[in-house]
Amino acid sequence: MSDSAGLLATPRGTLARTGDPERDRRALVDLVVEEEAVVVVVGHPLSLDGSRGPAARAAEAEAEALVGMLDAHEVRVELFDERLTTVSAHQALTAGGTKGRDQRAVVDQTAAAVMLMAWLDGRRDPR
């Protein structure tokens, strides 16, 4: 999640997948509506060379499904390159003193915050 000014990204928590994609999407939509979000940023796991593999195509399909569900709430859905966010998250957690075993529990949340921060920074950068 980000603050209302779009300056800071912080982990919000993890929605566990249930195995029912439609139910999982509804839970996400409920959270988006509850938090009054205006944009949902979906990680786009491109390959290191920038190509689209199976994971990237799955993320694209997921984003498209969310567009259909969030359009009525006037919430945009954007894909954003998530390459190396997990590496950055591990580095940040290590720098903050979180040990390896403890990192596993929060690395996905931290990686999501790293990705969102990069997306927010990109919106502010006029280049």
Side-chain angles (χ1 to χ4, degrees):
M1 303 289 294
S2 78
D3 62 321
S4 60
L7 298 174
L8 183 64
T10 55
R12 167 62 168 80
T14 303
L15 291 176
R17 291 189 181 263
T18 65
D20 179 349
E22 197 63 27
R23 181 176 170 193
D24 296 343
R25 287 184 201 112
R26 281 194 308 273
L28 180 59
V29 168
D30 290 345
L31 177 62
V32 167
V33 170
E34 175 187 325
E35 294 291 340
E36 300 179 351
V38 294
V39 180
V40 171
V41 181
V42 176
H44 199 199
L46 299 170
S47 299
L48 286 178
D49 66 2
S51 63
R52 295 169 47 243
R57 287 191 290 279
E60 292 162 5
E62 191 65 29
E64 191 60 36
L66 287 171
V67 165
M69 297 177 79
L70 289 168
D71 193 46
H73 301 283
E74 299 181 2
V75 175
R76 293 188 334 268
V77 177
E78 293 188 23
L79 286 165
F80 188 77
D81 184 357
E82 69 172 37
R83 285 179 284 183
L84 303 178
T85 55
T86 301
V87 172
S88 296
H90 277 292
Q91 291 172 341
L93 289 166
T94 299
T98 305
K99 302 292 183 213
R101 174 175 275 160
D102 297 330
Q103 287 183 8
R104 280 179 267 187
V106 295
V107 72
D108 289 339
Q109 293 175 30
T110 305
V114 167
M115 183 192 72
L116 181 57
M117 196 69 233
W119 181 83
L120 291 168
D121 289 345
R123 293 181 61 207
R124 285 190 297 276
D125 187 359
R127 287 182 267 159

